[in-house]
């Protein structure tokens, strides 16, 4: 079986590149069908989603923009501890149709924070696209509009997803 060694761990092949590309083609067609006249602004969540975002965006035919954002957390000066910050966003969100691009939704915590930030900017609509989704790990209560592939609650790497920063540069997705 095809394996991938990343740092101290050996991963086994899980989702081949061809299957990923077929999934993305279908997602792009669904987005074009649903949003063609909506002038959407895609927001890809860094770091993991950069490869998926590039492949998805290439397949989309409607007029659309894309920008890259990141959720960062830092120690605030108050008593509440960590403060979440949305970085990288320079476009006007108010009144716009936003599509968030994620590589994987696990617990949903990261996206819950991002959605909180975006809601305050009063977009016209917010939709969520994710390549991978772990239903058994999901603890949030937002709706995911477009899901590529549902996977079991196991760690995966490749195609932008990392293990301690490594493994992103694999065309296929591997699992433990
Ligand atoms: P969540 O906040 O638990 O939904 O996790 C979201 C983020 O955790 C993703 O954007 C990934 O960066 C990372 N993540 C979650 N599961 C995995 C995995 O199996 N492999 C690599 N990264 C993961």
């Amino acid at each position: 079986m095809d394996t991938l060694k990343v740092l101290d761990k050996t991963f086994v092949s899980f989702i081949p590149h061809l299957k990923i590309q077929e999934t993305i083609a279908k997602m792009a067609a669904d987005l074009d069908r649903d949003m063609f006249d909506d002038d959407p602004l895609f927001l890809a969540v860094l770091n993991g989603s950069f490869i998926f975002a590039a492949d998805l965006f290439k397949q989309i035919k409607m007029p659309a923009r894309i920008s890259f954002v990141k959720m960062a957390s830092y120690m605030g000066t108050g008593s509440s501890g960590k403060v979440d910050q949305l970085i990288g966003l320079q476009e006007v969100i108010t009144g716009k149709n936003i599509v968030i691009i994620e590589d994987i939704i696990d617990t949903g915590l990261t996206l819950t924070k991002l959605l909180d930030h975006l809601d305050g900017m009063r977009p016209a609509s917010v939709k969520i696209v994710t390549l991978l989704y772990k239903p058994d790990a999901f603890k949030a209560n937002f709706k995911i509009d477009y899901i590529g592939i549902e996977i079991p609650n196991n760690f995966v790497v490749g195609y932008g997803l990392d293990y301690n920063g490594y493994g992103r540069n694999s065309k296929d997705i591997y699992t433990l």
Side-chain angles (χ1 to χ4, degrees):
M1 184 180 250
D2 185 19
T3 62
L4 176 74
K5 188 143 170 31
V6 183
L7 301 174
D8 60 321
K9 295 202 192 312
T10 301
F11 294 82
V12 295
S13 72
F14 181 42
I15 309 172
H17 191 65
L18 190 63
K19 168 88 194 269
I20 298 171
Q21 294 306 321
E22 285 169 4
T23 303
I24 292 173
K26 181 168 185 314
M27 296 175 93
D30 289 347
L31 283 158
D32 276 331
R33 180 198 60 212
D34 297 345
M35 302 197 74
F36 207 93
D37 299 316
D38 292 350
D39 186 24
L41 171 62
F42 286 83
L43 294 181
V45 186
L46 294 173
N47 292 330
S49 72
F50 76 108
I51 292 178
F52 170 50
D55 282 349
L56 179 71
F57 203 62
K58 279 185 284 183
Q59 297 276 347
I60 285 168
K61 297 192 177 67
M62 69 183 136
R65 295 177 295 155
I66 188 166
S67 192
F68 294 82
V69 298
K70 194 170 193 167
M71 288 306 298
S73 95
Y74 63 95
M75 283 307 290
T77 50
S79 55
S80 58
K82 288 243 176 88
V83 180
D84 294 303
Q85 193 187 9
L86 172 61
I87 55 180
L89 187 63
Q90 289 179 329
E91 288 75 8
V92 174
I93 297 300
T94 310
K96 298 293 176 195
N97 296 304
I98 305 301
V99 184
I100 298 172
I101 303 181
E102 262 289 16
D103 49 346
I104 186 164
I105 297 178
D106 190 57
T107 63
L109 208 72
T110 313
L111 261 196
T112 299
K113 292 175 190 166
L114 175 57
L115 289 168
D116 281 351
H117 276 78
L118 292 180
D119 276 353
M121 302 174 193
R122 291 183 294 113
S125 67
V126 179
K127 287 189 173 170
I128 298 169
V129 180
T130 188
L131 177 63
L132 303 178
Y133 172 52
K134 293 180 180 172
D136 296 338
F138 192 63
K139 292 200 202 85
N141 55 15
F142 54 81
K143 173 172 163 273
I144 309 171
D145 301 278
Y146 303 90
I147 296 171
I149 304 168
E150 288 194 7
I151 63 168
N153 194 6
N154 297 322
F155 196 78
V156 291
V157 292
Y159 196 71
L161 291 147
D162 74 304
Y163 165 53
N164 285 350
Y166 293 88
R168 295 191 198 275
N169 54 326
S170 159
K171 277 188 162 190
D172 305 317
I173 293 173
Y174 290 75
T175 191
L176 273 181

